[in-house]
Amino acid sequence: MTASDQTKAANQMWGGRFAEGPDAIMQAINASIGFDKRLYAQDIAGSRAHAAMLAATGILSDSDAQAIGEGLLTVLSEIESGAFAFKVELEDIHLNVESRLTEIVGEAGKRLHTARSRNDQVAVDFRLWVRDQCDAVIEALAGLMRAFVAQADQGADWVMPGFTHLQTAQPVTWGHHMMAYVEMFARDRSRFQDARKRMNECPLGAAALAGTGFPIDRHMTAQALGFDRPTANSLDSVSDRDFALEFLSAASICAMHLSRFAEELVIWSSAQFRFVRLSDRWTTGSSIMPQKKNPDAAELLRAKLGRILGATVALFTVMKGLALTYSKDMQEDKEQVFDAADNLMLGLAAMTGMVGDMAANRDTLKAAAASGFSTATDLADWLVRSLNLPFREAHHVTGTLVALAESKGCDLPELPLEAMQAVHPGITGEVFSVLGVENSVRSRMSYGGTAPDQVRAQIARWKEQLK
Ligand code: ARG
């Protein structure tokens, strides 16, 4: 028997003009219930607001609206208890809920879809879902920021090498490095906050695309669902997925940030660096090499951007070139957003745990900070300040001294004064006061700089904001 032989009765929700049911493969490609059942709570909330509004405007009798409202709560509890039987023949969450509602309350259930379409229904359901996710991500980001602030607080003045090109650049403080991530995740948080604000308009009542002739009250449903206002153009309302794209874009940037710290953790926890020790809770062993402690969580966090950015590109590609208004293409939006949201939340939770547990190796950090001629800039600055050399010349003199130290196999503070004076006769013993790493970081007092006092001020500001 081929798939097309398996003709079934026409769809009970829209099959009036159909003599036979869809091909089994058509059903498989068309149905979204397998994934959009995640929208059940939002779908039921939207329907309850719609029914209440239909009654308030006299479109539906109070008794019907009452039956619908209660019936929807029964459906909700059936779904939450696992008793609900989702049916692929009913395509999606909207028809599954409505059909079951009608089984429970009879006639009244068939009146729920007055002045509404699945096009505005899915638009409102999905917005509500993405809005909830924004709230969850915003909260998770605050937790992650607190974990970084706690790390910074503990080691505000611990010295470590700062890198450019992953080469030792200048000494910085551990607190400063941790607080850099607080700034990054704070920008992420504000992106989700902005997106949430923009998406908080209610598309319900746009109906199929053109609005409706029924005297609905869109302000009432918008308010009931916690939206700031109804959307202003019905065509745009059913065809817009900017809210999902903004969520994915913000998620991608955030996942990129996660990947950057993840990479630092992979490097820092290696035997060659030993800047940090990751706890057993966030590492795994090897089945063959008994000594191994692998930073798997960090590696996976480094990778998560792959799928999150993938989802972003996927949805942009789905939406590109779609003529107004709704097209079934748009059903491909949900799985991408679900997967990205799940992975972002998981990633934020894992990173928060890992940052909370990690132990910085203060002595190793300090030793590393003092190597690699990290105070060469301080030396050049001293030549400018004390000998009034033009910076470019001071840079050259310092470069010569670095080459000299390198050839002697020592670092700058170990160079004898006479050797330095041979390069530039004006150098005095006072120079040694700027060659130490502690002095170096303490001197960088410019706003936003690495000096412990500056870092402590930033920590205090963020502690206050994250209360
Ligand atoms: N399952 C559909 C989706 O996710 C719901 C909207 C369907 N609308 C329609 N006219 N077939 O996009």
Side-chain angles (χ1 to χ4, degrees):
M1 199 170 73
T2 67
S4 55
D5 293 330
Q6 302 165 349
T7 45
K8 295 206 194 81
N11 187 295
Q12 49 161 313
M13 309 300 280
W14 45 251
R17 63 162 293 169
F18 289 76
E20 54 178 6
D23 189 281
I25 293 172
M26 172 58 189
Q27 203 169 72
I29 195 173
N30 192 44
S32 54
I33 188 63
F35 50 87
D36 69 12
K37 58 177 150 206
R38 278 185 80 164
L39 300 176
Y40 74 88
Q42 290 76 14
D43 193 71
I44 288 169
S47 288
R48 281 172 54 83
H50 182 66
M53 180 278 291
L54 291 179
T57 50
I59 300 166
L60 202 65
S61 73
D62 287 342
S63 59
D64 279 348
Q66 173 97 23
I68 289 171
E70 285 166 13
L72 284 167
L73 290 182
T74 306
V75 175
L76 181 66
S77 64
E78 286 181 2
I79 294 176
E80 288 185 335
S81 72
F84 192 94
F86 291 102
K87 297 192 181 118
V88 188
E89 316 84 84
L90 290 170
E91 293 180 27
D92 55 27
I93 187 61
H94 324 296
L95 297 186
N96 269 272
V97 168
E98 189 187 320
S99 162
R100 178 67 189 133
L101 171 72
T102 304
E103 279 174 19
I104 297 169
V105 307
E107 250 337 86
K110 297 187 186 173
R111 296 186 188 277
L112 171 62
H113 212 52
T114 311
R116 166 178 101 165
S117 154
R118 273 188 290 163
N119 297 349
D120 59 340
Q121 207 180 342
V122 72
V124 77
D125 291 5
F126 199 28
R127 262 189 212 232
L128 287 170
W129 195 89
V130 175
R131 191 179 74 182
D132 285 349
Q133 284 301 304
C134 284
D135 290 338
V137 171
I138 288 165
E139 203 185 307
L141 279 166
L144 178 57
M145 287 155 74
R146 279 188 208 102
F148 275 109
V149 170
Q151 280 287 348
D153 206 12
Q154 182 189 265
D157 58 355
W158 297 358
V159 183
M160 67 179 282
F163 298 94
T164 60
H165 314 261
L166 200 56
Q167 306 285 321
T168 299
Q170 293 173 351
V172 298
T173 48
W174 172 257
H176 199 210
H177 198 112
M178 294 298 107
M179 294 308 289
Y181 282 95
V182 173
E183 295 293 329
M184 291 150 80
F185 291 115
R187 287 195 296 277
D188 288 325
R189 189 172 65 155
S190 78
R191 265 184 283 276
F192 284 104
Q193 286 164 336
D194 284 351
R196 189 200 193 283
K197 230 177 271 160
R198 210 162 12 254
M199 77 180 65
N200 205 28
E201 294 187 342
C202 186
L204 193 59
L209 77 165
T212 174
F214 290 100
I216 59 171
D217 182 349
R218 293 193 57 208
H219 293 274
M220 182 177 167
T221 42
Q223 195 184 8
L225 294 167
F227 288 104
D228 295 330
R229 62 191 80 83
T231 50
N233 181 303
S234 64
L235 303 177
D236 177 45
S237 308
V238 294
S239 69
D240 168 48
R241 291 293 181 272
D242 289 2
F243 60 95
L245 290 168
E246 284 197 47
F247 177 84
L248 289 171
S249 305
S252 296
I253 298 176
C254 182
M256 176 273 288
H257 289 154
L258 288 174
S259 81
R260 295 185 72 172
F261 192 61
E263 168 70 350
E264 297 203 306
L265 285 180
V266 171
I267 296 172
W268 290 357
S269 65
S270 68
Q272 289 69 25
F273 269 75
R274 292 189 307 107
F275 281 9
V276 295
R277 206 157 26 75
L278 297 176
S279 78
D280 289 357
R281 305 201 311 152
W282 303 103
T283 46
T284 64
S286 156
S287 57
I288 174 169
M289 296 166 283
Q291 86 284 8
K292 293 278 276 193
K293 190 166 157 184
N294 294 325
D296 294 44
E299 295 165 84
L300 288 161
L301 278 164
R302 192 170 54 184
K304 285 298 181 194
L305 173 63
R307 64 199 290 169
I308 293 175
L309 183 60
T312 310
V313 173
L315 186 55
F316 269 105
T317 313
V318 165
M319 296 306 295
K320 178 197 170 291
L322 273 192
L324 301 189
T325 55
Y326 177 83
S327 293
K328 198 60 173 264
D329 310 48
M330 289 159 67
Q331 180 167 287
E332 294 282 322
D333 57 1
K334 287 171 245 0
E335 287 162 291
Q336 303 299 340
V337 175
F338 291 160
D339 187 73
D342 290 346
N343 279 283
L344 183 64
M345 286 300 289
L346 185 61
L348 289 169
M351 189 59 99
T352 304
M354 219 171 4
V355 171
D357 280 10
M358 77 184 175
N361 205 336
R362 189 177 177 177
D363 297 334
T364 313
L365 289 172
K366 186 169 178 185
S371 71
F373 316 107
S374 65
T375 52
T377 313
D378 300 84
L379 172 52
D381 288 349
W382 183 87
L383 294 171
V384 170
R385 261 186 280 109
S386 304
L387 308 186
N388 199 27
L389 294 194
F391 183 78
R392 213 27 81 206
E393 204 177 318
H395 185 287
H396 190 82
V397 169
T398 307
T400 311
L401 290 169
V402 166
L404 181 65
E406 197 170 35
S407 72
K408 287 182 179 293
C410 68
D411 217 300
L412 290 173
E414 284 100 55
L415 273 183
L417 181 59
E418 309 75 63
M420 292 198 196
Q421 285 168 337
V423 175
H424 194 288
I427 297 178
T428 68
E430 202 196 296
V431 73
F432 292 101
S433 69
V434 301
L435 297 182
V437 290
E438 306 276 359
N439 278 319
S440 170
V441 297
R442 261 202 304 276
S443 74
R444 297 219 151 65
M445 276 297 292
S446 53
Y447 180 80
T450 204
D453 285 350
Q454 281 296 326
V455 172
R456 285 196 190 95
Q458 297 297 336
I459 292 171
R461 181 171 70 85
W462 277 111
K463 270 187 173 170
E464 187 60 32
Q465 285 199 35
L466 290 167
K467 255 191 199 147

